[in-house]
């Protein structure tokens, strides 16, 4: 059986760990060549080796997605390494929570930068190639659909207390999705968002046990608390109709649906991957 993404090239930001890693592995398993990105060279290399070890194609483009020169470098890596670009998944991100009276400008700016400005720059950097490729394919009478999947959150759809920055950013990425679906429809580029509910990753599980109550991650020199208290996690799961948090593999499955040919006539949509919870 032919793989649905055979011959396609995908770039996935933040794909060294967690959901991003699962997205990269899912796309690679169905035939796509991958550009892996992470702040940490070692984890990006590990994912690349996992893909190539299974017979797939992959390379890495490490670095901070918020850096001014990153977007062009990310796109160029795909074009230089594989000669084309078909799928963009804007996945990189993290949370830096606080109630609004305690939220600093630094917290606000950092979250907007990684969840809105970075995806905007990546898509802008891809626009010249997308437009040129579409014109050439149209002249040849060839139909080629390209895919953009922006990662959002239920916080961006419904809002969430303590996440004014993250909720605003994830709402903004949904707006960008809808705008580009209208701009890029003529180029046969499908642009959609997947809004995740509660998914078990290192960001939600790190403090689930009493022994890890002080877990943090370091982003640009800032030690940011991560994880969810065990009792709070249990309470959150009881609110999900399916009775549990999702797995990174299930999250990747939702993204995959927007990358395959069956979604060629779906664009400008926001799908919630949340186990039935709106």
């Amino acid at each position: 059986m032919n793989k649905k993404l055979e011959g396609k090239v995908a770039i996935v930001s933040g794909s060294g760990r967690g959901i991003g890693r699962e997205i990269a592995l899912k796309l690679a398993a169905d035939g796509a060549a991958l550009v892996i990105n992470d702040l940490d060279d070692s984890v990006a290399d590990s994912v690349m080796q996992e893909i190539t070890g299974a017979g797939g194609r992959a390379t890495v483009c490490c670095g901070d997605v918020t850096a001014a020169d990153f977007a062009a470098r990310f796109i160029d890596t795909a074009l230089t390494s594989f000669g084309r670009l078909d799928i963009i998944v804007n996945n990189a991100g993290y949370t830096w929570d606080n109630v609004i009276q305690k939220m600093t400008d630094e917290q606000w700016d950092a979250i907007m930068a990684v969840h809105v400005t970075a995806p905007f720059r990546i898509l802008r950097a891809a626009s010249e190639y997308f437009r040129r490729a579409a014109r050439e394919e149209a002249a040849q009478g060839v139909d080629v659909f390209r895919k953009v999947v922006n990662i959002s959150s239920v916080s961006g759809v419904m809002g969430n207390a303590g996440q004014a920055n993250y909720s605003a950013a994830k709402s903004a990425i949904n707006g960008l999705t809808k705008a580009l679906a209208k701009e890029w429809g003529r180029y046969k580029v499908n642009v959609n968002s997947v809004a995740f509910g509660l998914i078990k990753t290192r960001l939600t599980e790190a403090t689930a046990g009493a022994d890890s109550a002080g877990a943090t991650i370091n982003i640009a020199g800032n030690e940011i608390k991560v994880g969810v208290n065990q009792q709070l996690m249990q309470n959150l799961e009881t609110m999900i109709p399916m009775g549990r948090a999702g797995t990174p593999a299930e999250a990747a499955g939702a993204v995959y649906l927007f990358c395959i040919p069956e979604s060629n006539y779906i664009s400008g949509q926001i799908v919630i991957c949340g186990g039935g919870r709106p």
Side-chain angles (χ1 to χ4, degrees):
M1 181 181 294
N2 291 333
K3 295 181 177 180
K4 292 183 178 181
L5 299 180
E6 194 71 51
K8 303 294 186 181
V9 175
I11 63 175
V12 183
S13 65
S15 46
R17 295 184 173 92
I19 295 171
R21 172 182 174 274
E22 293 293 336
I23 293 169
L25 295 178
K26 180 78 172 176
L27 300 183
D30 208 21
L34 265 295
V35 178
I36 307 299
N37 159 257
D38 200 273
L39 286 168
D40 186 332
D41 293 10
S42 63
V43 298
D45 287 341
S46 177
V47 177
M48 178 189 70
Q49 291 169 14
E50 190 170 355
I51 291 171
T52 57
R57 297 183 298 155
T59 189
V60 298
C61 180
C62 291
D64 183 352
V65 297
T66 68
D69 66 342
F70 177 80
R73 189 161 59 85
F74 203 20
I75 301 303
D76 288 346
T77 299
L79 298 180
T80 300
S81 299
F82 302 116
R84 61 183 297 132
L85 176 59
D86 302 279
I87 299 166
I88 298 175
V89 182
N90 283 309
N91 169 76
Y94 60 97
T95 58
W96 195 358
D97 299 347
N98 224 331
V99 290
I100 194 166
Q101 67 269 25
K102 296 181 180 179
M103 185 171 290
T104 65
D105 285 354
E106 183 182 16
Q107 283 176 282
W108 175 270
D109 292 342
I111 295 303
M112 295 300 287
V114 71
H115 291 288
V116 185
T117 305
F120 159 74
R121 287 174 172 169
I122 290 167
L123 296 172
R124 181 177 62 184
S127 64
E128 181 180 352
Y129 170 75
F130 277 3
R131 289 183 291 114
R132 183 178 71 250
R135 286 195 295 267
E136 292 173 355
E137 289 151 2
Q140 297 166 7
V142 178
D143 274 341
V144 177
F145 286 83
R146 291 180 171 84
K147 311 288 186 172
V148 172
V149 186
N150 293 318
I151 303 305
S152 185
S153 167
V154 292
S155 294
V157 178
M158 305 297 292
N160 194 32
Q163 291 189 321
N165 54 356
Y166 185 69
S167 296
K170 288 307 192 182
S171 180
I173 199 65
N174 291 338
L176 180 61
T177 293
K178 289 181 176 294
L180 286 188
K182 290 179 170 61
E183 288 190 23
W184 284 359
R186 74 183 85 174
Y187 306 124
K188 295 185 173 65
V189 179
N190 305 110
V191 188
N192 294 289
S193 288
V194 175
F196 293 137
L198 183 61
I199 307 294
K200 285 189 175 180
T201 69
R202 66 179 180 139
L203 301 184
T204 58
E205 287 195 305
T207 60
D211 293 338
S212 56
T216 63
I217 57 172
N218 186 287
I219 303 290
N222 295 302
E223 289 295 326
I224 298 170
K225 293 181 179 180
V226 296
V228 178
N229 172 273
Q230 186 174 20
Q231 185 59 55
L232 178 57
M233 174 67 82
Q234 292 173 355
N235 292 342
L236 290 171
E237 288 187 307
T238 63
M239 300 169 65
I240 299 170
M242 293 186 71
R244 61 173 177 83
T247 67
E250 289 170 327
V255 174
Y256 170 77
L257 296 175
F258 281 136
C259 296
I260 57 177
E262 284 81 351
S263 63
N264 282 353
Y265 199 60
I266 302 173
S267 199
Q269 303 305 304
I270 302 163
V271 168
I272 294 176
C273 177
R277 186 182 179 194

